[in-house]
Amino acid sequence: MGDRLPEPHASSSPAVAASSEAEEIEVLDSEDVLPMAAEDKGSCSCRQALKQEESSWDGAEVRKQAEMFDPDNTGYISTEKFRSLLQRHGSELDPHKLEVLLALADSNSEGRICYQDFVNLMSNKRSNSFRQAILQGNRRLCSKALLEETGLSLSQRLIRHVAYETLPREIDRKWYYDSYTCCPPPWFMITITIVEVAFFLYNGVVLDRFVLQVSHPLYLKNALLYHPQLRAQAWRYLTYIFMHAGIEHLGLNVVLQLLVGVPLEMVHGAARISFVYVAGVVAGSLAVSVADMRAPVVGSSGGVYALVSAHLANIVMNWSGMKCQFKLLRMAVALICMSFEFGRAVWLRFHPSAYPPCPHPSFMAHLGGVMVGITLGVIILRNYEQRLQDQTLWWIFLSIYVIFVLFAIFWNIFAYSLLDLKLPPPP
């Protein structure tokens, strides 16, 4: 494509819509109307969007100059003018944002920059097209890596550490480092952990036992755990995570979900991480109801294994980009801990029960969590700050998960009676 942009047609280009809209708005004090990109079609007026985001920008003069580079409201700025803008006003921007903008200019082969991509960056928003524009071609960041920066405070070093623990791309790590505000904090994983510990301590006092609580004859009478005879009580498919077999079971789950879950929530947000966690929990109890139909289930291993397996799979898939220290050793330690916990669960399942004829809790919830982690979890962790609905694999894995949930529901309704399975009596 040449430097000259083609004339827009009246009925097709969103930039023309923005231009015609600009003709109807009175322009005061040389403030121009922000042109729209194609992905913002159907949203509010460009002027309103600009006013809403103006307070969060750290280079208002840059914005004004950028508007001057697009007097025809085409929605694009030429890369030459864009580079001139950055050289003139780059000192007003966060250094890492300046790097991203320069990378955007370097990687664009069409000779023009989408104005909305510029706006998204300056207002701490990124679009999928913006990410793709940066990743195309040979991108060169102009300054030293985030890991080499000195003079950081304790909180800044913590944020940098989390970025290197979870994100494989330097440009994403710098973006996260600049934009993270700890508001809101990683409340989901911390809250879940506190509630699990509180229920365990309560049960320990009631049963007068903290090690291998599951062997107590009254353990199954709790209203939270999943029991095959009480599978019609739908809340048990979730609340079983607040019951643990003993302090050895709770301890490992708590350590893993704090060491892995909290950093992941700091980067990807509570909504995404809670989705992976809860999806793993539900998949775990449903897997037990399908594959180990006579057994109860307790513990948060389904959710924990979903998060940990997603994180480990993301590291393996982005091995060269992940810069966390001793990653091979730490992966080995994590796998050993998970294997130990899984082995304990298998041993307990086939150990003579303390409340025959009902067996001890099943280990199938671990496997259900792993399956969620390496499918839905990986897609979420690989798409930092990107719209999941734009990812084909997201819809594929989500459809598979929904089909499994529906299958398990019908299985629980009809299979038990059709198979004439003899279940243990209710507690």
Side-chain angles (χ1 to χ4, degrees), residues 120-139:
N120 288 341
L121 179 90
M122 297 304 297
S123 57
N124 280 335
K125 294 180 180 179
R126 288 197 293 179
S127 64
N128 198 46
S129 64
F130 182 65
R131 160 70 70 83
Q132 294 301 324
I134 293 178
L135 293 182
Q136 289 173 356
N138 295 323
R139 182 184 65 235

Side-chain angles (χ1 to χ4, degrees), residues 59-240:
E61 181 63 26
V62 182
R63 173 184 60 80
K64 294 179 181 179
Q65 294 291 330
E67 290 177 346
M68 294 176 59
F69 285 135
D70 184 32
D72 297 328
N73 288 329
T74 63
Y76 295 93
I77 310 173
S78 71
T79 51
E80 293 182 359
K81 293 180 179 179
F82 187 68
R83 276 191 158 280
S84 173
L85 170 68
L86 294 180
Q87 292 171 0
R88 197 180 314 170
H89 298 281
S91 60
E92 302 174 22
L93 305 176
D94 289 338
H96 298 150
K97 284 186 178 179
L98 179 61
E99 289 186 36
V100 175
L101 286 168
L102 288 172
L104 177 63
D106 289 339
S107 64
N108 197 288
S109 60
E110 296 184 350
R112 61 181 189 174
I113 302 295
C114 178
Y115 196 177
Q116 187 62 41
D117 287 342
F118 170 79
V119 173
N120 288 341
L121 179 90
M122 297 304 297
S123 57
N124 280 335
K125 294 180 180 179
R126 288 197 293 179
S127 64
N128 198 46
S129 64
F130 182 65
R131 160 70 70 83
Q132 294 301 324
I134 293 178
L135 293 182
Q136 289 173 356
N138 295 323
R139 182 184 65 235
R140 295 183 61 187
L141 298 181
C142 60
S143 66
K144 60 186 178 182
L146 181 60
L147 193 61
E148 300 173 0
E149 295 190 4
T150 58
L152 303 180
S153 65
L154 180 61
S155 61
Q156 289 174 322
R157 290 199 298 270
L158 174 62
I159 296 172
R160 182 179 65 179
H161 173 76
V162 170
Y164 275 92
E165 288 291 312
T166 56
L167 295 172
R169 301 180 184 92
E170 182 69 14
I171 204 165
D172 285 338
R173 291 191 283 261
K174 291 185 175 183
W175 179 274
Y176 169 74
Y177 176 82
D178 278 337
S179 60
Y180 183 71
T181 61
C182 198
C183 183
W187 61 269
F188 176 76
M189 295 309 307
I190 295 175
T191 302
I192 285 289
T193 301
I194 292 175
V195 174
E196 289 174 359
V197 172
F199 272 105
F200 175 79
L201 295 176
Y202 171 79
N203 288 322
V205 172
V206 171
L207 301 177
D208 194 23
R209 183 176 299 179
F210 291 90
V211 178
L212 282 178
Q213 287 184 355
V214 69
S215 62
H216 196 284
L218 300 179
Y219 182 80
L220 291 184
K221 293 186 178 296
N222 195 286
L224 298 178
L225 59 78
Y226 169 84
H227 191 282
Q229 281 282 20
L230 304 174
R231 63 187 184 280
Q233 299 175 359
W235 70 84
R236 293 178 180 264
Y237 291 90
L238 280 174
T239 58
Y240 75 91

Side-chain angles (χ1 to χ4, degrees), residues 3 17 20 25-26 31 37 43 81 98 116 131 134 145 148 153 170 173 225 248 258 264 273 303 308 341 373 412:
D3 291 335
S20 60
I25 299 177
E26 181 180 1
E31 181 177 64
S43 61
K81 293 180 179 179
L98 179 61
Q116 187 62 41
R131 160 70 70 83
I134 293 178
E148 300 173 0
S153 65
E170 182 69 14
R173 291 191 283 261
L225 59 78
E248 68 289 343
L258 287 180
L264 289 178
I273 298 306
V308 176
E341 160 60 17
N412 277 270

Side-chain angles (χ1 to χ4, degrees), residues 2 5 50 152 181 235 338 353:
L5 300 179
L50 183 59
L152 303 180
T181 61
W235 70 84
M338 294 172 68
S353 177

Side-chain angles (χ1 to χ4, degrees), residues 290-302:
V290 171
D292 197 1
M293 301 168 66
R294 298 183 67 253
V297 61
V298 296
S300 59
S301 297

